Amino acid sequence: MKAGGVGVNGWQWTLLVHFGLAALAVWPAIRLLGRAGLPRGWVIWLALPVLGWPIFTSLLAFKPWPTLPPRPEKLHPRERLRRARDAAAAQKGK
């Protein structure tokens, strides 16, 4: 890959590939950490060339994840209306 004496050596190519893959993994990693309730700053570990990925995955695997309350159920408006009618009918029937 040399053009006019300037080129990318093997280790430089490896670093470029690493940083490209790390850049692609940043957005999903931030979303994963946010949903898990863990610090989003851990994404920085992905930029570390050889040990970044193993450190990041070890943090995810071995740190206790906080217990978050369950998310409220997302209902379609018709389903929400049906459940409200059923609840009102149940109250009326008592």
Side-chain angles (χ1 to χ4, degrees):
M1 278 201 195
K2 294 202 177 218
V6 178
V8 179
N9 293 332
W11 65 273
Q12 292 170 333
W13 183 252
T14 304
L15 283 178
L16 284 173
V17 169
H18 167 76
F19 286 122
L21 290 174
L24 288 174
V26 166
W27 176 246
I30 287 174
R31 289 189 41 106
L32 177 104
L33 291 170
R35 287 181 180 227
L38 298 169
R40 290 185 174 130
W42 287 358
V43 165
I44 295 172
W45 284 109
L46 292 176
L48 187 64
V50 174
L51 299 173
W53 291 82
I55 290 172
F56 180 74
T57 54
S58 296
L59 285 171
L60 286 177
F62 299 116
K63 280 286 199 181
W65 290 24
T67 305
L68 300 175
R71 288 182 166 191
E73 187 178 11
K74 291 184 180 178
L75 298 175
H76 190 274
R78 284 189 218 140
E79 179 65 20
R80 193 176 322 123
L81 182 61
R82 187 183 67 78
R83 288 187 185 186
R85 273 193 237 133
D86 290 346
Q91 285 291 336
K92 204 186 253 187
K94 280 188 175 181

